[in-house]
Amino acid sequence: METVFAELAADLAPVYRRRDLRANGVLYLRGLLMPGVAGNCWSIAEAVGPGRTA
């Protein structure tokens, strides 16, 4: 599963030119795809926020 997610993140790389924005976009996408996480920004941030390993 991680391999598929890494490929998806690589496909999105051209959309984000800055590395920090790309990292945030990938974290957001990871949060959206996590099972059991409500689709609001607060719960996504708690699930994949800085310092957490998903």
Side-chain angles (χ1 to χ4, degrees):
M1 186 66 162
E2 279 300 314
T3 306
V4 173
F5 185 79
E7 290 174 6
L8 178 60
D11 288 343
L12 290 175
V15 175
Y16 302 101
R17 294 184 187 266
R18 288 179 33 193
R19 186 177 303 178
D20 59 332
L21 296 178
R22 181 172 41 241
N24 287 339
V26 169
L27 279 175
Y28 181 69
L29 181 61
R30 183 178 292 277
L32 288 175
L33 297 175
M34 288 179 80
V37 176
N40 63 51
C41 60
W42 188 266
S43 58
I44 291 171
E46 287 181 336
V48 298
R52 301 215 180 206
T53 55

